[in-house]
Amino acid sequence: MAEEITLLESLRRRGVSRRGFLKFCTATASLMALPPALIPRVAAALEQAKRPSVIWLSFQECTGCTESLTRSHAPTVESLIFDHISLDYHHTLQAAAGDAAEHAREEAMKQHHGKYILVVDGSIPLAENGNYSTIAGISNLEMLKECAEGAAAIVSVGTCAAYGGLPMAKPNPTGAVGVSEIIKDKPIVNVPGCPPIPTVITGVLAHFLVFGSLPELDHLGRPKVFFGQNIHDRCYRRPFYERGQFAETFDDEGARKGWCLYKLGCKGPITYNACATNKWNEGTSWPVESGHGCIGCSEPGFWDFGGLYKALSVPTGNIGSTAVAAAALGVAAGAGLAAMNRSKKQAAAKAHETMTVTDLNKET
Amino acid sequence: MSAEALLAWARGPAFEVALVIFIAGMLLRLFEILSLGYKTDLSEARGSGVQGGLRTLFSRSLPRPSILAKEPLRIINSFVMHIGLLAMIFLFGPHVAVFESLLGFGWPNLPSGVIDALSAMTLITLVVALMLRLNNPVLRFLSTPGDYWAWLVTLLPVLTGYLAYNHLLLPYTLMLALHILSVELLLISAPFSKLTHMFSFALSRWYQGYKAGHRGIES
Ligand code: SF4
Ligand code: SF4
């Protein structure tokens, strides 16, 4: 259970020096794209910040988002933050199980009513009364509503919680939806990604700690600081795009030379995420750098975008057979029209009366 | 509807509908023209009709000096516009990818930057074309709503494509959706407007050339 101590106090107890704390503040500020001048403010705010209580609900998901989160490499911002928030309930990470776990959740909800942050990963199935996914006999839908009621804010972690994600892919048998489809009366931040970048998850929490508010959001409910950048605009392969040099297969000459992956289905041009600038695994690399196009994992609907390997400009339907059918239709209609025109012509020819000079000279 | 959903719709069902109307409509129009048939020419051939037809197909694509001298701006403008349009449609990498998916084979593309410059130029020629039409009393008198419509549905794909590529005005996703939708509008209108000339030009040139060739006229 969260004690009412400040973050600084908590860090001190863990033997983090003042210097270490300031380093942490600097990293947090740069993560949130704040100018260096604001670092003292971040430090002051974090010194005062209480460890927030966090309830983490995992619904219809693959645990990839939690996996991503735990791939933080100490002592980074994310590990610090997660050591110093009070994660009161997290199915995958907590030691308690069964009744004890549910009680922990109820306790936290009661004790921090109106103040806790609710983190959700996974989509919520609505079909069949929500019976597709239950925890301790409670449907995801019910549990979400229950926990959202006393939350200060909700963070939808991952594209499933944000926009429905892969469970929502056609034909969406479970009737999966994202959190914002259900909860309308609470501030919600979407941190999409399949999975989301760990530093982005913690960056949002850090923002909440420092400013006591949620960061500014874009039209899809994503924090602009992390999702304001277009992958394509930040892509180091962009010069090849400009020069029209595209890899045609994953192992051709172009691919080896690092050419643009557009034709191999890269969705970078319509994707907003921090990969191209933040990178993954402690800044090691990111998908496009490893030779695979961006699949647009932070965008709603990426799962139904007509295939991961279809270029963005290419139609998604079964165009070949459509074209053949259309051609057959056109030819048939054209032949019909031609026949009609011909019979008209013949009729006209038949009805035609030859004029003679006498006819022309006739006085009317 | 979100931009993402609009894009998915534009690339999916909407494109298929547009393609069906375009292909079926164009074939219908071509059949209609072909079914008019030739009048049997009973005169003795003084030259080869086929050769004449083939020749005109190409020779008429070049501006004729006499007309060029009369109205250089209009001729050159339209010439540049058509070249720009063709290059944009067929030589831009992402467009080649579309043809590849339709036909099963592709071809080399121009640098995207070159296409970008060409599209800026084509936009200018389209505006000039409209101004020339509006400023000439005779042309203006002869213009029908269909002429303006054809102009508009040609302009929109170029404009939206240019804006999308340069990330201007609207977010790229929405602009790309609008670009694809405007192309679909063009595809749907083509068989039923004067844009039919994208194919029928070949028939009429062939016809003229054939007749002239048959009569032994150098055209
Ligand atoms: S690889 Fe993708 S994101 Fe990078 S330039 Fe090419 S299309 Fe854009
Ligand atoms: S490169 Fe694209 S698909 Fe890959 S993680 Fe980043 S946003 Fe998601």
Side-chain angles (χ1 to χ4, degrees):
Chain A
M1 203 62 13
E3 295 166 57
E4 288 293 303
I5 57 165
T6 62
L7 186 62
L8 182 67
E9 181 54 34
S10 154
L11 288 166
R12 234 178 237 143
R13 282 188 199 176
R14 288 184 157 246
V16 175
S17 65
R18 174 92 204 155
R19 201 182 133 84
F21 174 68
L22 283 177
K23 229 170 114 185
F24 162 62
C25 294
T26 310
T28 307
S30 87
L31 180 65
M32 290 188 285
L34 297 174
L38 275 184
I39 295 171
R41 239 191 87 190
V42 172
L46 283 177
E47 269 174 7
Q48 299 307 315
K50 297 273 194 300
R51 299 171 67 204
S53 169
V54 171
I55 295 180
W56 183 302
L57 301 177
S58 294
F59 295 148
Q60 243 184 181
E61 40 82 55
C62 67
T63 314
C65 298
T66 298
E67 286 286 341
S68 168
L69 183 68
T70 55
R71 291 300 179 274
S72 44
H73 304 260
T76 57
V77 184
E78 57 268 32
S79 66
L80 277 170
I81 287 265
F82 270 85
D83 281 345
H84 301 287
I85 63 169
S86 167
L87 196 53
D88 289 326
Y89 178 84
H90 188 302
H91 249 183
T92 319
L93 301 181
Q94 72 193 357
D99 272 355
E102 291 314 304
H103 284 142
R105 178 172 65 87
E106 282 155 17
E107 264 305 305
M109 279 167 56
K110 221 182 333 165
Q111 204 183 334
H112 304 285
H113 192 270
K115 283 187 291 197
Y116 61 85
I117 300 176
L118 180 64
V119 179
V120 180
D121 67 343
S123 65
I124 301 97
L126 297 182
E128 307 282 347
N129 289 326
N131 284 346
Y132 279 107
S133 176
T134 60
I135 297 164
I138 309 168
S139 77
N140 293 169
L141 177 64
E142 249 177 278
M143 191 179 279
L144 173 64
K145 283 184 177 163
E146 209 179 293
C147 295
E149 205 264 317
I154 302 176
V155 185
S156 297
V157 164
T159 307
C160 294
Y163 313 125
L166 292 179
M168 198 198 202
K170 278 180 196 137
N172 190 5
T174 65
V177 296
V179 171
S180 57
E181 293 288 309
I182 296 164
I183 307 296
K184 304 282 181 193
D185 58 349
K186 290 280 168 185
I188 299 178
V189 194
N190 289 330
V191 187
C194 195
I197 302 175
T199 43
V200 172
I201 306 177
T202 47
V204 171
L205 296 174
H207 190 287
F208 190 78
L209 282 182
V210 172
F211 299 106
S213 66
L214 295 175
E216 198 192 338
L217 307 179
D218 71 1
H219 70 293
L220 291 170
R222 305 177 291 200
K224 277 187 186 162
V225 263
F226 307 112
F227 295 91
Q229 304 266 11
N230 181 266
I231 297 277
H232 183 62
D233 280 348
R234 294 279 145 182
C235 180
Y236 74 105
R237 293 189 193 236
R238 182 68 180 268
F240 294 106
Y241 175 87
E242 299 301 338
R243 275 181 246 137
Q245 291 174 312
F246 302 102
E248 300 284 340
T249 65
F250 282 109
D251 57 356
D252 67 0
E253 189 65 21
R256 275 195 286 276
K257 285 185 183 153
W259 289 3
C260 171
L261 303 169
Y262 187 94
K263 283 196 174 180
L264 295 171
C266 180
K267 306 291 184 295
I270 58 162
T271 306
Y272 292 78
N273 205 344
C275 312
T277 39
N278 259 52
K279 301 196 179 181
W280 285 80
N281 298 323
E282 257 191 311
T284 307
S285 175
W286 63 294
V288 169
E289 195 173 334
S290 329
H292 195 285
C294 167
I295 64 171
C297 77
S298 55
E299 303 302 308
F302 84 87
W303 49 86
D304 283 333
F305 249 73
L308 303 183
Y309 302 103
K310 232 175 199 180
L312 202 51
S313 54
V314 166
T316 54
N318 194 353
I319 291 306
S321 51
T322 306
V324 171
L329 188 78
V331 168
L337 202 74
M340 243 164 68
N341 285 343
R342 216 169 302 127
S343 68
K344 242 198 228 160
K345 212 158 120 188
Q346 277 163 5
K350 239 190 232 150
H352 174 80
E353 285 171 23
T354 324
M355 268 201 176
T356 61
V357 183
T358 354
D359 287 334
L360 288 172
N361 286 336
K362 243 190 230 163
E363 304 256 332
T364 39
Chain B
M1 200 188 223
S2 68
E4 293 70 27
L6 191 67
L7 179 60
W9 183 72
R11 289 172 72 211
F15 188 86
E16 280 191 72
V17 171
L19 193 71
V20 167
I21 296 179
F22 177 73
I23 295 181
M26 275 299 181
L27 283 170
L28 188 129
R29 295 310 291 266
L30 292 183
F31 259 84
E32 198 179 353
I33 296 168
L34 287 173
S35 73
L36 294 173
Y38 284 148
K39 213 176 211 171
T40 350
D41 195 339
L42 300 173
S43 66
E44 195 185 320
R46 293 198 203 141
S48 160
V50 176
Q51 259 180 34
L54 284 177
R55 195 170 48 232
T56 332
L57 223 45
F58 295 100
S59 68
R60 287 282 161 97
S61 304
L62 296 170
R64 299 232 254 164
S66 56
I67 302 178
L68 187 62
K70 226 185 205 167
E71 275 201 89
L73 179 60
R74 198 144 62 85
I75 302 301
I76 292 172
N77 189 64
S78 127
F79 213 72
V80 174
M81 179 182 85
H82 280 86
I83 291 176
L85 285 172
L86 288 174
M88 257 184 295
I89 297 171
F90 295 108
L91 296 176
F92 181 43
H95 293 170
V96 175
V98 177
F99 289 107
E100 220 169 323
S101 84
L102 283 168
L103 307 169
F105 59 89
W107 47 82
N109 54 274
L110 278 180
S112 315
V114 172
I115 299 290
D116 187 40
L118 279 177
S119 59
M121 189 191 72
T122 309
L123 276 176
I124 296 172
T125 61
L126 277 162
V127 173
V128 170
L130 182 69
M131 285 183 0
L132 288 174
R133 186 181 281 280
L134 290 175
N135 279 332
N136 183 322
V138 179
L139 260 185
R140 201 171 57 222
F141 175 73
L142 289 174
S143 298
T144 63
D147 291 316
Y148 295 109
W149 176 255
W151 178 84
L152 184 70
V153 295
T154 310
L155 176 87
L156 287 179
V158 187
L159 184 65
T160 50
Y162 182 80
L163 293 176
Y165 180 84
N166 290 292
H167 289 212
L168 297 171
L169 209 63
L170 294 173
Y172 182 84
T173 313
L174 185 56
M175 211 33 124
L176 181 63
L178 292 179
H179 174 61
I180 296 177
L181 287 171
S182 69
V183 171
E184 285 156 9
L185 191 65
L186 174 78
L187 288 177
I188 290 172
S189 320
F192 312 105
S193 67
K194 70 175 201 173
L195 295 175
T196 326
H197 80 265
M198 64 176 74
F199 291 114
S200 66
F201 83 96
L203 292 182
S204 58
R205 274 184 204 164
W206 169 272
Y207 182 74
Q208 298 296 344
Y210 185 91
K211 294 218 109 178
H214 186 81
R215 290 178 195 153
I217 302 169
E218 283 291 326
S219 63

